């Protein structure tokens, strides 16, 4: 029997003694959803090199097939975010046309649905000085048209999420007029916003630097929030956990946005230095727990429950030196563990300690939950969901990785860098 599963009865007894409603906790864990990104299944690299991985997915069909394996193992990853044009169906078929409806059907056959649509307005030569903030109207038009195409693709594939990240910014003081760029940004976003159907949400991502090094047009959550507020209720902020200056209190941003009804979603990943896109929860598991602590608290508060319920949880990672499937499953397990721990916080005791000014008593409410070994609980949840208690072991014993390595082979390493798709 699985070791963690064997430890469940003792943990259940301990948690029940702490007053935890185990059935409610397990129900929440079963209802959790995490979206995986198509680009996490393919080869990707740093600025310096892309190392080819045996069997790495080469097109959207292979990416979806791999994502389906992750969903079958974890039970909580039924949707996949796509990047346009990296995931154009035409790039995998011989017909050379994009049949998005067929792609939707292919995903459904795999037990999946297409999730967030990510326009790519950063990989064309014309975008050297920006996309929707570019000084030339013709370039802005091209970028807006691409975003509008992505909205239409979303409608065809049944996705209600438009996830926007811009590489716009400047490298040198004086290079462009900062306020003029802000006006172009709002004008372009407004056009895209008006093109969205009523059920679609625009998630606006921010990032302090890179690829631009002097200023970024959407540098932080306040700027993304301002744009989202100006646009209207269908626009919200996307928090990529790797997109902050060092020392930033990300859970505070999360709490603030939840309270304003403007937290739209996450891009989960870990970072040590910059936008490292490492496996979520590997570098900073306590921060991830504190983020989930805010989400669980907001879900339990009638004033914020609606916003909390609609938050889109997405992984945004690039796996440069690690096995893609194993990395994705590990990411999902880390997100689950953070959520499970946050569900164990004794909120009544926490509120009492806060009200009484018991500074360290309040801290210990969080520490007690964080230090609980939730692996037996998660193994039990998987058992109850009809899954293997250890998804990583199940992946290894399935032989899937060896099978795709044999079938797909290894891409020729050409010294390319960045995201070849
Ligand atoms: C950016 C950002 C976006 C992602 C691109 C590839 O840094 O995180 O979300 O789509 O990278
Ligand atoms: Mn991101
Ligand atoms: Mn990023």
């Amino acid at each position: 029997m699985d070791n963690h599963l064997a430890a469940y009865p003792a943990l259940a007894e301990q948690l029940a003694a702490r007053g935890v409603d185990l059935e409610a906790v397990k129900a929440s864990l079963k209802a959790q959803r995490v979206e995986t990104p198509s680009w996490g299944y393919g080869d990707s690299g740093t600025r310096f090199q892309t190392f080819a991985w045996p069997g790495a997915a080469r097109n959207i069909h292979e990416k979806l097939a791999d994502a389906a394996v992750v969903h079958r193992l974890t039970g909580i990853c039924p949707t996949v975010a796509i990047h346009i044009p990296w995931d154009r169906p035409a790039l995998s078929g011989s017909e050379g046309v994009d049949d998005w409806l067929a792609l939707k059907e292919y995903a459904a056959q795999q037990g999946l649905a297409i999730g967030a649509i990510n326009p790519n307005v950063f990989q064309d030569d014309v975008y050297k000085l920006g996309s929707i903030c570019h000084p030339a109207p013709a370039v802005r038009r091209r970028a807006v048209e691409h975003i509008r195409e992505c909205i239409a693709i979303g409608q065809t594939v049944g996705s209600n999420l438009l996830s926007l990240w811009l590489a716009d910014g400047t490298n040198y003081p004086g290079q462009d007029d900062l306020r003029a760029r802000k006006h172009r940004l709002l004008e372009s976003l407004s056009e895209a916003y008006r093109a969205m159907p009523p059920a679609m949400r625009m998630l606006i991502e921010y990032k302090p630097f890179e690829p631009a090094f002097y200023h970024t047009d959407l540098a932080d959550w306040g700027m993304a929030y301002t744009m989202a507020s100006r646009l209207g209720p269908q626009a919200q902020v996307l928090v990529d956990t790797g997109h902050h200056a060092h020392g930033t209190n990300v859970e505070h941003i999360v709490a603030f946005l939840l309270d304003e009804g403007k937290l739209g979603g996450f891009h989960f990943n870990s970072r040590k230095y910059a936008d490292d896109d490492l496996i979520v929860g590997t570098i900073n598991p306590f921060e991830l727990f504190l983020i989930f602590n805010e989400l669980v608290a907001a879900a339990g508060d009638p004033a914020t429950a609606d916003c909390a319920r609609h938050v889109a949880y997405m992984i945004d990672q690039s796996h440069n030196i690690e096995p893609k499937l194993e990395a994705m499953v590990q990411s999902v397990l880390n997100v689950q563990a953070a959520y499970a721990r946050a569900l164990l916080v004794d909120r009544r005791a926490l509120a009492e300690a806060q009200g009484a000014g018991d500074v360290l008593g309040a801290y210990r409410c969080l520490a007690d939950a964080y230090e609980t070994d939730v692996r037996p609980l998660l193994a039990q949840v998987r058992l109850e969901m009809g899954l293997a208690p250890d998804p990583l072991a199940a992946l290894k014993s399935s032989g899937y990785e060896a099978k795709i390595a044999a079938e797909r082979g290894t891409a020729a390493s050409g010294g390319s860098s960045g995201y070849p798709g």
Side-chain angles (χ1 to χ4, degrees), residues 89-347:
L91 297 176
S92 42
S94 50
E95 282 147 50
V97 286
D98 284 328
D99 190 341
W100 293 104
L101 213 49
L103 190 72
K104 179 189 181 186
E105 275 157 27
Y106 175 80
Q109 282 159 16
Q110 307 281 325
L112 299 172
I114 306 287
I117 313 292
N118 291 252
N120 180 322
V121 283
F122 48 88
Q123 277 187 318
D124 267 319
D125 286 343
V126 291
Y127 296 140
K128 187 163 73 179
L129 302 179
S131 63
I132 62 174
C133 303
H134 195 283
V139 178
R140 298 204 293 279
R141 169 97 339 257
R142 173 154 162 178
V144 169
E145 290 307 327
H146 174 59
I147 295 171
R148 293 185 61 147
E149 183 199 0
C150 288
I151 293 170
I153 290 170
Q155 288 177 281
T156 308
V157 299
S159 168
N160 276 328
L161 284 181
L162 177 73
S163 190
L164 274 189
W165 175 71
L166 308 174
D168 288 54
T170 61
N171 271 6
Y172 294 96
Q175 181 188 320
D176 200 357
D177 181 325
L178 301 184
R179 279 188 299 116
R181 290 183 73 96
K182 173 171 174 279
H183 297 159
R184 296 171 203 149
L185 175 65
L186 182 60
E187 193 184 287
S188 307
L189 287 179
S190 300
E191 189 180 338
Y193 187 88
R194 286 193 298 270
M196 291 198 303
M200 192 175 278
R201 282 189 293 157
M202 177 192 284
L203 306 185
I204 305 175
E205 186 172 352
Y206 56 90
K207 180 171 171 173
F209 84 107
E210 196 201 28
F213 294 117
Y214 169 62
H215 108 285
T216 293
D217 288 291
L218 281 166
D220 63 21
W221 72 270
M223 298 182 195
Y225 171 86
T226 303
M227 288 298 141
S229 293
R230 294 278 202 100
L231 293 172
Q234 286 172 254
Q236 292 179 304
V237 179
L238 185 146
V239 175
D240 182 313
T241 48
H243 289 192
H244 304 90
H246 280 260
T248 301
N249 186 331
V250 181
E251 61 272 20
H252 184 198
I253 295 171
V254 168
F256 200 103
L257 290 172
L258 278 164
D259 203 59
E260 291 294 325
K262 279 293 188 192
L263 181 70
F266 283 97
H267 271 178
F268 284 133
N269 50 58
S270 270
R271 56 81 69 93
K272 180 72 178 164
Y273 297 104
D275 184 21
D276 306 338
D277 284 341
L278 299 174
I279 293 173
V280 52
T282 51
I283 307 287
N284 43 13
F286 191 55
E287 180 187 70
L288 187 63
F289 160 76
L290 293 172
I291 289 171
F292 270 103
N293 177 51
E294 293 304 331
L295 289 155
V296 171
D301 179 345
T304 43
D306 190 53
C307 180
R309 200 177 22 251
H310 292 102
V311 170
Y313 296 95
M314 302 176 275
I315 289 170
D316 177 12
Q317 294 172 186
S318 55
H319 305 125
N320 299 341
I321 60 163
E322 57 277 71
K324 321 287 174 196
L325 273 285
E326 190 180 334
M328 204 63 88
V329 173
Q330 183 70 64
S331 308
V332 177
L333 303 194
N334 289 359
V335 171
Q336 272 184 312
Y339 183 44
R341 288 166 163 170
L343 288 168
L344 298 182
V345 172
D346 185 338
R347 301 214 171 259

